[in-house]
Amino acid sequence: DAKTTQPNSMESNEEEPVHLPCNHSTISGTDYIHWYRQLPSQGPEYVIHGLTSNVNNRMASLAIAEDRKSSTLILHRATLRDAAVYYCISSGNTPLVFGKGTRLSVIA
Amino acid sequence: DTAVSQTPKYLVTQMGNDKSIKCEQNLGHDTMYWYKQDSKKFLKIMFSYNNKELIINETVPNRFSPKSPDKAHLNLHINSLELGDSAVYFCASSQVQGAPGNTIYFGEGSWLTVV
């Protein structure tokens, strides 16, 4: 599994877009990019994942660089409920190995 | 319906005791996991079971013994509890072990405090 690098923390204003970056420069061709988040006092929850193409779902968008060495999770309009630790994981299989993640704070 | 449910949610116990945490998933998944999140918030895989068979044991002490009576259940039994066992334990499941792009579904966690 490729190692990922994320900022320790980020801050966003409510109702503004948030771009959470992740570097995975050692990613292999079959590794997926997964994003999970962990709300306070809850278990991690799936956000989105992708392999090569950008992906959209009801929670977020995932933009994957052409060389796949980095990706960005985009929350289109941050709400207070989006305050969480966001984990970027680059992996070819389960179980997923979690790093430290990015703690996102949302300011009202 | 809760997809992955674990009980108890909170557990406070004395050193040396034996305790169990139960986990059930109703997603029809073949693979179940136990993760541990310590006080520094690192989330680490402990065990992985596929169709009731142990697949991964990440150098967890022998005092921890998972048991899978069927593929929908994976219970965690801990003997001779130590202070360092205090953590949040998360049960999780996914469709197939090792499949790329698999999504893991987590329970809400069991907060274990050893005093």
Side-chain angles (χ1 to χ4, degrees), chain A residues 24-91:
Chain A
H24 28 78
S25 57
T26 60
I27 192 169
S28 73
T30 56
D31 286 349
Y32 277 74
I33 300 151
H34 303 258
W35 283 84
Y36 283 72
R37 71 179 186 181
Q38 188 172 18
L39 302 170
S41 301
Q42 293 190 27
E45 66 173 343
Y46 168 80
V47 177
I48 200 165
H49 76 284
L51 185 60
T52 56
S53 305
N54 294 345
V55 184
N56 299 298
N57 66 20
R58 64 173 179 82
M59 288 182 72
S61 295
L62 175 60
I64 302 172
E66 202 169 323
D67 63 5
R68 298 207 332 122
K69 294 185 177 182
S70 65
S71 62
T72 302
L73 179 70
I74 302 165
L75 306 180
H76 296 286
R77 285 182 67 208
T79 69
L80 296 178
R81 291 177 57 186
D82 291 322
V85 178
Y86 286 79
Y87 298 98
C88 168
I89 305 163
S90 172
S91 174

Side-chain angles (χ1 to χ4, degrees), chain A residues 36 38 43 49 92-94 96, chain B residues 33 35 37 90 97-98 100 104:
Chain A
Y36 283 72
Q38 188 172 18
H49 76 284
N93 54 40
T94 48
L96 300 180
Chain B
Y33 312 88
Y35 281 80
Q37 189 166 42
F90 289 101
Q97 163 72 24
I104 297 184

Side-chain angles (χ1 to χ4, degrees), chain A residues 1-6 22-24 31-36 44 86-101, chain B residues 33-37 41-48 56 58 92 97 102-104 106:
Chain A
D1 293 345
K3 180 179 168 153
T4 59
T5 305
Q6 300 178 250
C22 180
N23 285 321
H24 28 78
D31 286 349
Y32 277 74
I33 300 151
H34 303 258
W35 283 84
Y36 283 72
Y86 286 79
Y87 298 98
C88 168
I89 305 163
S90 172
S91 174
N93 54 40
T94 48
L96 300 180
V97 176
F98 288 75
K100 296 180 183 180
Chain B
Y33 312 88
W34 277 107
Y35 281 80
K36 178 181 178 180
Q37 189 166 42
K41 303 299 183 185
F42 290 117
L43 195 61
K44 295 181 182 177
I45 181 72
M46 298 174 67
F47 299 104
S48 171
I56 292 174
E58 288 290 331
Q97 163 72 24
N102 240 345
T103 297
I104 297 184
F106 285 83

